[in-house]
Amino acid sequence: MAEYSAVDLADRFEEMVDVLNRMPPVIRKQKMVHWPDYPNDPNQAYGYNDYTITRIKPSGEQIDRADECMYWLLKLDKEQKELIWARASKFSWRKIAMFMGCNKDTAKLRWTVVLLELAEKLKDE
């Protein structure tokens, strides 16, 4: 198994959260009619309405790396998982500290310690 540093693990967890957010929904919305959708409002008929940009679906390699990261999360306890997930979801340190009930510097230190411990566990495998 390859050796991972704390920075590598942090990047992989951020990628995992991004991949999971880009996954398609489990249940597709079923259409009840086979008639094509068309705008009822004349102001929307010419493309003046807001549109949503669909995100690119993750590749197979990205999904495999996300699965590997989820396997790594099984080696941690609940508080450590929540800390890793919150930081990978790009929450600010202030919000993470409020959630954990500590100072933001303490939250950063705990996050670093968790990543270093996980790197050591992965190195021992």
Side-chain angles (χ1 to χ4, degrees):
M1 177 164 262
E3 286 191 26
Y4 295 103
S5 67
V7 177
D8 295 336
L9 290 175
D11 292 340
R12 290 284 297 268
F13 284 122
E14 282 184 18
E15 181 189 21
M16 176 193 66
V17 170
D18 181 53
V19 165
L20 293 177
N21 287 335
R22 289 189 293 148
M23 292 291 285
V26 177
I27 300 174
R28 291 187 176 177
K29 295 180 182 176
Q30 298 293 325
K31 295 195 177 203
M32 301 305 289
V33 296
H34 298 289
W35 191 258
D37 292 332
Y38 63 92
N40 293 329
D41 186 11
N43 294 328
Q44 294 180 349
Y46 298 103
Y48 299 133
N49 53 337
D50 294 333
Y51 59 92
T52 58
I53 298 174
T54 58
R55 297 186 68 174
I56 300 172
K57 293 180 183 174
S59 67
E61 291 123 13
Q62 289 175 327
I63 294 172
D64 288 342
R65 287 194 299 266
D67 286 341
E68 186 179 19
C69 289
M70 284 190 276
Y71 175 71
W72 295 342
L73 286 176
L74 293 175
K75 300 173 189 280
L76 304 174
D77 64 355
K78 183 177 185 255
E79 184 177 320
Q80 292 173 336
K81 289 177 192 176
E82 291 172 350
L83 179 61
I84 293 290
W85 195 273
R87 190 58 192 165
S89 298
K90 299 182 180 173
F91 283 111
S92 67
W93 284 114
R94 187 179 63 81
K95 287 185 180 179
I96 294 171
M98 285 178 15
F99 178 72
M100 302 294 287
C102 62
N103 187 3
K104 66 178 184 172
D105 295 329
T106 307
K108 285 182 192 178
L109 181 64
R110 288 180 186 172
W111 179 72
T112 306
V113 167
V114 168
L115 289 178
L116 291 173
E117 286 176 357
L118 184 61
E120 285 297 320
K121 287 180 184 177
L122 293 176
K123 190 187 300 183
D124 292 340
E125 283 186 351

